[in-house]
């Protein structure tokens, strides 16, 4: 079979060919390395996948919220203890477990109310627009307050195991302000 026949039937793909001259007999020999098209496709996909993975690792920079010079962690929020420790790392003391836990799916586009709330989040380094259409879990914690002061509540918005939004709210949902 000739190379033309092999290419015609698509069985093999000519990968590498070169001429080598034997010095003793001065004959011309040809070296042919044939690789099946499926193998070449597999290697190409593998190389492309590794390239994309390395590119994502090198160029991906996670946006960190405002408190970037501190030891505050925004991921790993799996348990009540993790979330209360997060609050205490910011100087707040939760009186106990979350008073409410609600799953909320952000709409595909943010309405006027959510855009205003997102502005508060952006001031802290968060951005809820990245999570439109996703289901977030809202944890609300009552914070320890001094005698005579209005009760305050800390709200943490968590997507998977990462805090993606937070705020402080006064009693009855008034006086919403940044947590950070």
């Amino acid at each position: 079979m000739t190379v033309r026949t092999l290419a015609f039937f698509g069985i093999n793909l000519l990968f590498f060919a070169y001429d080598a001259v034997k010095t003793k007999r001065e004959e011309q020999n040809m070296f042919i390395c044939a690789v099946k098209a499926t193998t070449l496709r597999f290697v190409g996909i593998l190389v492309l996948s590794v390239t994309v993975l390395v590119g994502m690792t090198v160029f991906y920079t996670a946006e960190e919220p405002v408190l970037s010079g501190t030891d505050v962690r925004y991921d790993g929020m799996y348990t009540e203890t993790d979330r209360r420790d997060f609050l205490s790392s910011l100087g707040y003391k939760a009186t106990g477990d979350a008073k409410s836990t609600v799953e909320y799916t952000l709409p595909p586009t943010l309405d006027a109310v959510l855009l205003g709330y997102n502005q508060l989040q952006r001031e802290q380094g968060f951005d809820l627009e990245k999570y439109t259409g996703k289901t977030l879990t809202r944890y609300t914690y009552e914070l320890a307050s001094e005698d005579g002061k209005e009760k305050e509540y800390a709200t943490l918005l968590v997507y998977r195991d990462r805090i993606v939004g937070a705020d402080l709210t006064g009693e009855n949902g008034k006086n919403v302000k940044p947590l950070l």
Side-chain angles (χ1 to χ4, degrees):
M1 275 187 167
T2 65
V3 173
R4 175 181 262 175
T5 308
L6 290 175
F8 178 75
F9 288 107
I11 297 171
N12 290 323
L13 177 66
L14 183 60
F15 182 71
F16 178 76
Y18 72 177
D19 291 328
V21 177
K22 287 190 172 183
T23 55
K24 288 184 179 178
R25 291 188 232 151
E26 293 188 11
E27 290 181 1
Q28 188 175 16
N29 291 332
M30 182 177 276
F31 176 74
I32 299 174
C33 177
V35 178
K36 287 185 175 183
T38 55
T39 305
L40 188 60
R41 189 179 316 145
F42 173 75
V43 170
I45 291 171
L46 183 66
V47 168
L48 180 65
S49 299
V50 169
T51 304
V52 168
L53 185 62
V54 168
M56 286 175 48
T57 304
V58 170
F59 295 110
Y60 176 74
T61 56
E63 231 180 85
E64 284 298 321
V66 173
L67 293 176
S68 61
T70 64
D71 291 335
V72 177
R73 294 197 49 168
Y74 297 92
D75 56 352
M77 300 296 145
Y78 297 107
T79 65
E80 286 288 331
T81 305
D82 296 332
R83 292 183 291 276
R84 282 196 315 266
D85 289 345
F86 172 78
L87 290 170
S88 66
S89 72
L90 297 175
Y92 300 104
K93 184 174 181 345
T95 59
D97 289 347
K99 295 293 179 192
S100 74
T101 302
V102 178
E103 290 205 357
Y104 176 73
T105 302
L106 284 175
T109 56
L110 300 179
D111 61 12
V113 173
L114 286 174
L115 284 172
Y117 183 70
N118 194 36
Q119 185 59 39
L120 173 84
Q121 298 306 320
R122 285 184 175 191
E123 291 172 9
Q124 303 179 93
F126 299 117
D127 187 3
L128 295 179
E129 286 188 277
K130 295 178 183 178
Y131 302 97
T132 55
K134 308 266 192 272
T135 300
L136 307 179
T137 305
R138 184 182 71 203
Y139 297 96
T140 304
Y141 293 90
E142 183 178 339
L143 300 177
S145 62
E146 298 174 16
D147 291 335
K149 286 186 100 178
E150 178 185 30
K151 285 185 182 179
E152 281 192 311
Y153 297 90
T155 302
L156 303 178
L157 299 175
V158 178
Y159 178 68
R160 296 190 178 162
D161 70 331
R162 185 171 179 77
I163 293 178
V164 297
D167 67 72
L168 278 178
T169 309
E171 203 164 13
N172 299 323
K174 296 180 181 177
N175 303 325
V176 179
K177 54 189 174 187
L179 181 71
L180 306 182

